[in-house]
Amino acid sequence: MASITLRAFAKINLSLRVSSVRPDGFHDVRTILQAIDLFDRVKCEARRGPFEIRCTRPGVPIDRANLVWKAAEQLWSAGGRDGEPRDALVALEKHIPMRAGLGGGSSDAAAALLGLRRVWRLRVADEELHAIASQVGSDVPYFLVGGTALGLGRGDEVYALEDLPRLWVVLVRPPFGVATKDAYAWWDNGGPTPFLPGSLANDLEAPVIERHPLIGQLRDRLRAEGAVLAAMSGSGSTVFGVFTAERRARTAARRLRQSGADAQRARFRPRGRP
């Protein structure tokens, strides 16, 4: 196969409960993840020479700092190939913002695993691909599942749930990002909250809002606009509001934009490969 283009969908965390630090340094979490129809395009193309990443958006790393590169290295090795990965170009058309809690980098990596497996014609079973994804990043295995799912462990143990209805969501992006390691460090410093797996909440929200009050203000604004659920996604900084009616979502997004916020509409996406 000469090339394949896949859509790498974003996610929101409908709930994110954080527990103790594991021996590997990560936190145990229990999270409900939901795919939305905001996506990057990931094109994997066979091309002789060293492995390369290209991207349309300035500021996106195109070296080993990008999870796509790490995914390529792990897959190349798992496929029995020696040395550094080669003979492929991955072109990223970015629409998911970075450091936003929407999983853009992890989703790109998952799409690259699927695309490069075909471009390189590797005999790597789906089960092994999921294991590789877990080595690449905690969120990457989810994007091989998609839809509505439960994430356990450090988030890499993913179990498909029955897909929720195709509800509407308004995403509001503050003019700053939040690093995942910072959000968890702030949670650690504030003292662990009770681990209540049955409730929908984001345990990282309070410590992040303490440092960035605008996130709380945007969350409350979405609730006032009629969102049935409004919260920070993942480690932030994006805030989302879930709406049962498209009209209410459209109105909320318009009003937020009129007030100067970076707001856009999306919709829940059911399970299915990129």
Side-chain angles (χ1 to χ4, degrees):
M1 176 175 290
S3 69
I4 181 173
T5 300
L6 301 169
R7 292 181 294 175
F9 291 94
K11 60 81 179 171
I12 56 175
N13 297 80
L14 298 177
S15 179
L16 175 57
R17 309 313 311 263
V18 181
S19 186
S20 57
V21 179
R22 299 152 48 101
D24 60 9
F26 290 91
H27 291 75
D28 271 315
V29 303
R30 183 183 181 95
T31 181
I32 299 176
L33 301 130
Q34 175 61 53
I36 58 175
D37 60 5
L38 170 66
F39 61 87
D40 296 338
R41 293 187 188 276
V42 179
K43 182 179 181 181
C44 299
E45 180 179 353
R47 191 200 62 172
R48 291 194 177 278
F51 177 72
E52 183 181 357
I53 300 173
R54 294 178 185 172
C55 185
T56 58
R57 180 183 295 173
V60 175
I62 55 174
D63 55 13
R64 284 179 169 81
N66 194 309
L67 289 180
V68 167
W69 195 293
K70 185 175 180 180
E73 288 181 323
Q74 295 286 343
L75 182 63
W76 183 262
S77 177
R81 308 288 176 87
D82 296 326
E84 295 291 320
R86 56 180 295 109
D87 299 335
L89 165 69
V90 177
L92 305 176
E93 180 185 306
K94 292 291 295 179
H95 300 283
I96 304 171
M98 297 185 294
R99 297 179 67 184
L102 299 175
S106 296
S107 188
D108 293 347
L113 286 174
L114 292 168
L116 291 171
R117 180 173 65 171
R118 296 179 66 177
V119 165
W120 283 333
R121 302 180 184 275
L122 299 177
R123 293 185 177 181
V124 176
D126 286 349
E127 295 79 8
E128 188 174 1
L129 201 70
H130 279 257
I132 295 169
S134 181
Q135 296 171 13
V136 175
S138 298
D139 282 344
V140 180
Y142 162 71
F143 291 103
L144 296 176
V145 177
T148 309
L150 172 67
L152 300 176
R154 57 185 175 88
D156 60 332
E157 300 172 25
V158 183
Y159 302 91
L161 301 175
E162 182 177 354
D163 275 329
L164 292 171
R166 294 206 64 198
L167 300 174
W168 294 91
V169 61
V170 174
L171 305 171
V172 189
R173 171 95 160 106
F176 54 83
V178 175
T180 299
K181 64 178 182 179
D182 289 342
Y184 277 95
W186 297 336
W187 183 85
D188 286 335
N189 292 336
T193 53
F195 188 56
L196 303 173
S199 58
L200 288 178
N202 184 343
D203 287 338
L204 299 180
E205 190 175 76
V208 172
I209 288 175
E210 185 178 347
R211 278 82 176 177
H212 298 288
L214 178 58
I215 290 177
Q217 296 165 14
L218 294 172
R219 178 202 60 194
D220 294 344
R221 177 71 184 276
L222 285 165
R223 290 173 178 169
E225 292 289 347
V228 296
L229 172 66
M232 185 181 76
S233 181
S235 58
S237 60
T238 297
V239 182
F240 68 88
V242 178
F243 294 81
T244 57
E246 180 183 6
R247 176 182 57 83
R248 297 293 296 271
R250 185 189 306 116
T251 299
R254 184 185 72 247
R255 289 176 175 170
L256 281 156
R257 285 194 296 268
Q258 288 172 346
S259 67
D262 178 2
Q264 66 182 114
R265 282 184 298 131
R267 199 173 186 187
F268 284 14
R269 177 175 172 80
R271 184 161 299 105
R273 284 197 170 183

